Amino acid sequence: MITLDQAKVMIDVARKTGREMGLKPLSVVVLDAGGHLLAFEREDGASPGRFEIARGKAYGAVMLGMPGSAQMARAEGQAYFMAAVNGAFGGKVVPVPGGVLVMQGDAVVGAVGVTGDTSENDAAAAVAGIEAAGFAAKA
């Protein structure tokens, strides 16, 4: 289980990492294992639509049990599958890197979604936040 305090650490460190890397303004969301919102922050200068993108990255990761990088590969190889998945989940899945699983041992306990820069940079910021909160990240 991810506590609110741990979710805040994930967000703070992801944002700090983004600033250290010189990234564009980030938006960061943390979801629990059921896909429910625990915390969200949007940096100054980030567009308002970034919440839905960050949530979609994290939501796809937690609901499918696979990080955004694996979802993107699946979408490239089997576009019909990801289209069907997105239909099943009401269009809430954004299958690109930046949706990172939060792991406790072998169990998925949630996901972090980061958006604002390139998908690979978003994922790196998410991993830093997850690890700073004491969890393993699966990007």
Side-chain angles (χ1 to χ4, degrees):
M1 180 175 143
I2 302 169
T3 67
L4 180 57
D5 287 340
Q6 290 167 322
K8 288 178 180 181
V9 168
M10 291 177 194
I11 290 172
D12 290 345
V13 173
R15 291 181 54 226
K16 179 182 176 208
T17 299
R19 288 190 302 276
E20 290 170 354
M21 292 174 64
L23 305 184
K24 295 175 184 172
L26 299 179
S27 295
V28 185
V29 68
V30 180
L31 304 181
D32 67 14
H36 305 287
L37 180 67
L38 290 172
F40 171 75
E41 287 189 14
R42 179 174 56 90
E43 291 186 319
D44 296 341
S47 63
R50 291 293 177 170
F51 169 74
E52 293 299 342
I53 296 169
R55 184 179 65 161
K57 288 181 175 189
Y59 189 78
V62 77
M63 297 312 281
L64 295 172
M66 67 173 80
S69 58
Q71 293 174 60
M72 187 169 82
R74 189 78 183 260
E76 290 170 347
Q78 294 179 308
Y80 61 89
F81 173 77
M82 287 307 296
V85 164
N86 219 354
F89 290 122
K92 294 180 187 175
V93 175
V94 179
V96 296
V100 180
L101 292 170
V102 180
M103 306 295 297
Q104 194 164 41
D106 291 334
V108 174
V109 295
V112 173
V114 176
T115 184
D117 206 83
T118 66
S119 293
E120 291 75 18
N121 286 341
D122 294 344
V127 168
I130 292 166
E131 291 177 349
F135 294 93
K138 188 173 181 182

